[in-house]
Amino acid sequence: MQHHRGNPTLLAVLAAAACANAAHAQVADGQLQEVVVTAQRTTSLESKTPVAMSVLSGEALREAGFGTPAELAKRLPNVHLDGAADGLRITIRGMSNSDATDKGDPSAAFMLDGIYIARPQNQNGLLLDVDRIEVLRGPQGTLYGRNTTAGVVHVISRAPTRALEGAFGVEAGNFRSRKANGMLNVPITGWLALRAAVAVDRHNAYLRNGQGTPHTPGQDAGRRAARLSARVALGPAASLLLRADHARNDYNPDSFVSDNNFFRHADSGKPEWYGAAARDRLTNRFVPRNVVPEQGWGRNRSAGAGAEFTWNLGPATLHYLGAHRKFDLDFLTNYIYRVAPQATLGVRQNFTGGQRQDSHELRVATSGDGALSAQAGLYWFDERSHSNYVFRDLAPIGLTPYYAFPTDPTVAKSRAAFGQLAYRVTGRLRATAGLRHTEDEKSRVGATSFQQGPAFNPATDFQLPNAARIETDKRTWRLGLDYDLAPSAFLPATFVYGTLSTGYKAGGFNDGCLAGPACPAAAAVAPGYLFYRPETLKALELGAKTRFWHRRASLDAAAFMYDYTNLQLSGNAIIAGAPRFITTNAGIASVRGLELDGKVQASADDRFSYGLTLLDAHYVSYTPDGVHSWNGRKLDRSPSHVLTAGYQRRVRLAGHEVRAGVDARRSAAYMIGVPSKLVQYRVPAMATVDATLAWRPDDAPWTLAAYAHNLGNRIAPATIDSFGMAVPGAPRVVGVRFDYRYQ
């Protein structure tokens, strides 16, 4: 089909134009402009913040044509953001998580305006009226809490201002992509300002149907999102920011193909990568012998309301941040279900579920520029979920016709107290110490149901209880030193830092129950199988942030060493005659690496970006099945090196401005592991190229732009699960966009 090849004329124009990377830094008098961040929960310059981090501005996202978090990874060193079938999969410095169920936890926290978003299915929505995205690499347990052993992805939206302004944009591209967005900011009075934003994103399926059915395949989108914000001035010293948002996505969850689309001998457990055209990678040719697939469908709904209160008390400022969020998901999907070598079934699954979460944080931070600065706070989180998975079509291998996993409720609670001090020892040297104590509680009431039909019948069916409760707690801490090196004839202005910190990810449980009144002895499982322990780490990081050549060039460098204990790994397996999703602890893992990235403003019209990451992330002690050793094997999505380069050129022609450029990324080979099957899939080295082109007449309020992602149309699997289902990455995507802004 022609739309899979994109628009050759447009692609040729874009490639010839050599378009730019969407970097957040802008030019001010020929210099790279400083970027203000809140990575340490206080306002600071990125170049003076002792954290390895990347910042992408909302303007940069718009110029690059990025609409969801899964599209950002090519701009982020040592980061994978994959749009998996079950939500956003975040991997930072080789650390990831594949448990997207209501009992699982991520290794990297995803936050929206300071609010922790617990479920990955609720993380890959539209980037709506974004001010910036801060991606923090490395454990952030002191200020951001549990489940941040890998880092933090923080999306920060624009707040109402005192200026009357508005904007709208429309976009069209291949795969019948249609996008639109709008924003209106209105100062109502001197004490009240309102801001509204909306966005729509629709495109046809990236996948092709090779199954011989009339059904539409997946990797489509039907997203809509809206947000209303109000800023209220409560006198000269206090303010209240209120936000309410709603989003939905009507889509097809059949977003996978067989791993045979990428690897030979995958059925036998010895996968070998082979070359193929993008069209072949994206075609689902699996034809099950046991069932006729149905048309897949999915409905995703999310909504939230939050409040942020700030009160300047003079020597200190009081901050409150709270939110209530809800998420509902219903779908029907057709699985590829390999139960044994050369034996693969089609399995249909219905799912219905929902989640509600409440969070509150009260924090006090000192004001002023004294030698001592401090912040301390209390945090409270409560999440309640219900769900029902119903699998069918396993009868041909002698299993029950229907398996159901009803759960109501699954509860996750977290309580924490934290504080961090920073003391300026001299005018240039500062010491930091932070501590957080976290208590987590998880529980679940549910069952594994063996059924003859879609609904449970007590006369013919039976259930095994899935009921467990676990409490874990941990103190995480952070010690740091940073120093401002004065510029000299031999050394430019440089900020250096060193941190020693710990991280913690809560423990949890698998399917089953312990023997007791509610759990018959015949259904009971051993505690060692039912529970898995918290994941912890110790991390050492040394970094430097340099601005040189009269602040026209930058270099950020970070070297890090992690030692993980009880790394949590998840996968599917058939246990006691039922498919189950289990998590185990992987003993010890080691992560070592180096990151270099920077920019060069070669002239007022030319800007370069560059990056190099080196990574050694491997298991030190791990036997997935208790027999076979994986010691020394690489962790998932941890290429030994990645190179990035970008170039942006601005040309002025008779009252017009044209911006063009290119961004390239080459990743070394990496692994995607399935420990429950003792299989690792090796994805070979691969390069991708993006391009953008924009034109605007001088003083015009509008811009016409074009972009192309993945010019070479290289397709790699984003995820591969225990049953041989692979989710392909996005193909070549091109689009043309018109933006208008009033202010």
Side-chain angles (χ1 to χ4, degrees):
M1 297 176 66
Q2 179 65 33
H3 65 262
H4 280 270
R5 294 190 291 272
N7 186 321
T9 302
L10 176 61
L11 296 178
V13 171
L14 291 172
C19 88
N21 76 305
H24 62 275
Q26 303 295 321
V27 184
D29 299 326
Q31 296 181 342
L32 295 174
Q33 184 178 344
E34 290 283 8
V35 180
V36 177
V37 299
T38 53
Q40 294 288 282
R41 311 297 301 276
T42 59
T43 300
S44 63
L45 297 177
E46 185 278 329
S47 63
K48 305 294 183 183
T49 302
V51 176
M53 64 182 301
S54 301
V55 185
L56 295 172
S57 72
E59 184 71 11
L61 300 174
R62 182 188 61 79
E63 291 177 0
F66 293 153
T68 63
E71 301 173 70
L72 307 180
K74 289 181 285 187
R75 300 295 190 271
L76 303 170
N78 256 337
V79 175
H80 277 257
L81 296 173
D82 297 304
D86 50 9
L88 186 66
R89 185 74 53 81
I90 304 174
T91 305
I92 301 178
R93 293 175 173 174
M95 304 313 303
S96 186
N97 176 70
S98 58
D99 187 353
T101 68
D102 50 11
K103 64 182 180 58
D105 287 306
S107 296
F110 184 93
M111 309 193 78
L112 175 62
D113 296 319
I115 302 300
Y116 174 69
I117 307 298
R119 297 297 113 209
Q121 298 90 343
N122 202 13
Q123 296 172 356
N124 200 30
L126 288 177
L127 296 172
L128 180 63
D129 195 27
V130 171
D131 178 70
R132 68 187 185 278
I133 298 177
E134 299 181 2
V135 180
L136 284 56
R137 301 185 296 275
Q140 309 296 325
T142 301
L143 293 178
Y144 291 90
R146 67 189 179 103
N147 306 334
T148 60
T149 53
V152 172
V153 177
H154 191 185
V155 178
I156 302 169
S157 56
R158 291 188 174 100
T161 67
R162 295 185 177 182
L164 176 63
E165 57 178 332
F168 74 87
V170 292
E171 180 181 315
N174 60 339
F175 298 98
R176 293 200 66 224
S177 173
R178 298 92 72 199
K179 299 181 183 180
N181 66 279
M183 177 276 295
L184 180 63
N185 188 96
V186 181
I188 304 298
T189 67
W191 56 271
L192 175 64
L194 300 178
R195 190 180 187 97
V198 296
V200 177
D201 178 7
R202 300 178 184 273
H203 65 75
N204 287 0
Y206 293 158
L207 297 189
R208 296 170 49 84
N209 187 351
Q211 296 180 300
T213 69
H215 304 324
T216 302
Q219 292 201 356
D220 59 336
R223 300 184 180 96
R224 286 166 280 176
R227 179 188 300 117
L228 179 63
S229 307
R231 186 186 290 277
V232 183
L234 303 174
S239 66
L240 178 65
L241 176 59
L242 302 173
R243 289 188 175 101
D245 64 83
H246 184 272
R248 62 181 293 175
N249 185 19
D250 298 315
Y251 70 107
N252 183 350
D254 287 343
S255 58
F256 24 71
V257 298
S258 170
D259 53 5
N260 292 304
N261 281 33
F262 297 91
F263 300 90
R264 293 189 180 92
H265 313 304
D267 292 348
S268 64
K270 298 179 180 180
E272 297 178 4
W273 180 274
Y274 67 91
R279 179 187 182 97
D280 296 326
R281 301 286 200 211
L282 296 169
T283 300
N284 182 5
R285 295 186 180 83
F286 172 69
V287 179
R289 299 180 180 179
N290 61 310
V291 66
V292 177
E294 296 184 46
Q295 175 62 62
W297 57 268
R299 293 188 295 265
N300 177 323
R301 306 289 185 271
S302 65
E308 186 175 346
F309 174 71
T310 304
W311 186 10
N312 188 341
L313 301 173
T317 302
L318 177 70
H319 301 269
Y320 165 77
L321 182 62
H324 171 76
R325 298 199 63 83
K326 61 180 182 178
F327 170 74
D328 294 292
L329 177 63
D330 301 278
F331 65 75
L332 165 66
T333 190
N334 299 275
Y335 280 163
I336 300 168
Y337 213 77
R338 182 179 299 131
V339 294
Q342 312 302 322
T344 305
L345 302 179
V347 174
R348 291 167 292 174
Q349 182 203 348
N350 287 86
F351 173 89
T352 181
Q355 171 254 344
R356 305 292 184 268
Q357 69 169 63
D358 294 279
S359 61
H360 302 274
E361 181 184 84
L362 187 65
R363 183 170 61 92
V364 178
T366 57
S367 305
D369 299 322
L372 179 66
S373 61
Q375 54 182 308
L378 300 172
Y379 178 76
W380 183 89
F381 174 84
D382 189 292
E383 178 194 25
R384 295 174 183 269
S385 308
H386 67 277
S387 62
N388 188 25
Y389 298 81
V390 179
F391 295 87
R392 43 189 162 144
D393 308 317
L394 291 172
I397 58 173
L399 300 181
T400 304
Y402 288 80
Y403 286 94
F405 296 86
T407 297
D408 191 7
T410 300
V411 178
K413 298 180 180 181
S414 185
R415 312 288 185 265
F418 64 93
Q420 184 160 296
L421 301 172
Y423 181 71
R424 193 167 296 281
V425 181
T426 69
R428 297 183 180 277
L429 176 64
R430 187 177 65 166
T432 302
L435 180 66
R436 188 183 190 105
H437 178 75
T438 303
E439 296 180 353
D440 288 303
E441 176 187 331
K442 291 183 181 180
S443 63
R444 179 175 62 165
V445 176
T448 298
S449 183
F450 300 76
Q451 300 174 184
Q452 299 302 310
F456 182 76
N457 182 350
T460 59
D461 307 334
F462 72 97
Q463 293 182 328
L464 298 177
N466 292 328
R469 182 177 180 275
I470 186 173
E471 293 184 5
T472 57
D473 65 271
K474 186 69 176 178
R475 290 184 179 89
T476 52
W477 48 265
R478 179 186 183 93
L479 299 174
L481 288 173
D482 58 72
Y483 188 77
D484 248 328
L485 292 171
S488 65
F490 305 101
L491 188 67
T494 302
F495 176 80
V496 296
Y497 65 91
T499 59
L500 184 63
S501 59
T502 62
Y504 155 74
K505 179 179 171 182
F509 43 75
N510 294 305
D511 293 345
C513 56
L514 295 179
C519 182
V525 298
Y529 163 81
L530 183 61
F531 298 106
Y532 55 88
R533 296 181 294 278
E535 177 180 292
T536 62
L537 85 156
K538 291 183 180 178
L540 171 65
E541 181 167 314
L542 304 175
K545 301 183 178 185
T546 300
R547 305 298 181 261
F548 56 99
W549 193 22
H550 308 292
R551 305 194 70 83
R552 295 169 62 180
S554 68
L555 170 63
D556 291 353
F560 50 90
M561 300 173 59
Y562 296 170
D563 289 314
Y564 275 87
T565 302
N566 292 325
L567 190 67
Q568 295 173 8
L569 299 175
S570 305
N572 294 94
I574 294 180
I575 298 175
R580 299 177 186 268
F581 191 81
I582 60 173
T583 297
T584 59
N585 293 108
I588 300 173
S590 171
V591 179
R592 306 288 187 267
L594 174 68
E595 298 166 350
L596 304 172
D597 67 282
K599 300 173 181 66
V600 178
Q601 191 67 48
S603 72
D605 299 319
D606 298 272
R607 184 168 71 233
F608 296 86
S609 65
Y610 61 93
L612 168 66
T613 65
L614 304 176
L615 186 63
D616 176 17
H618 63 271
Y619 300 107
V620 175
S621 175
Y622 181 37
T623 53
D625 61 352
V627 177
H628 297 87
S629 172
W630 274 27
N631 297 356
R633 293 201 183 191
K634 287 182 173 293
L635 302 185
D636 283 6
R637 300 173 186 84
S638 57
S640 60
H641 63 272
V642 176
L643 293 168
T644 59
Y647 171 62
Q648 178 173 324
R649 171 70 175 170
R650 182 180 66 174
V651 179
R652 300 188 58 79
L653 299 169
H656 300 267
E657 179 180 280
V658 177
R659 290 180 179 269
V662 65
D663 274 282
R665 181 181 188 271
R666 185 191 183 279
S667 169
Y670 58 88
M671 298 293 186
I672 297 178
V674 183
S676 61
K677 301 292 185 180
L678 297 176
V679 174
Q680 282 189 307
Y681 296 83
R682 183 181 184 273
V683 180
M686 194 170 296
T688 58
V689 179
D690 292 352
T692 60
L693 178 67
W695 166 60
R696 182 180 67 87
D698 289 350
D699 301 321
W702 57 269
T703 302
L704 184 63
Y707 66 85
H709 299 160
N710 190 11
L711 274 168
N713 213 12
R714 304 293 300 277
I715 310 295
T719 63
I720 305 175
D721 78 352
S722 306
F723 296 111
M725 291 186 291
V727 175
R732 180 193 299 126
V733 176
V734 299
V736 178
R737 181 176 179 84
F738 175 83
D739 282 288
Y740 180 89
R741 189 172 191 88
Y742 170 80
Q743 59 185 122

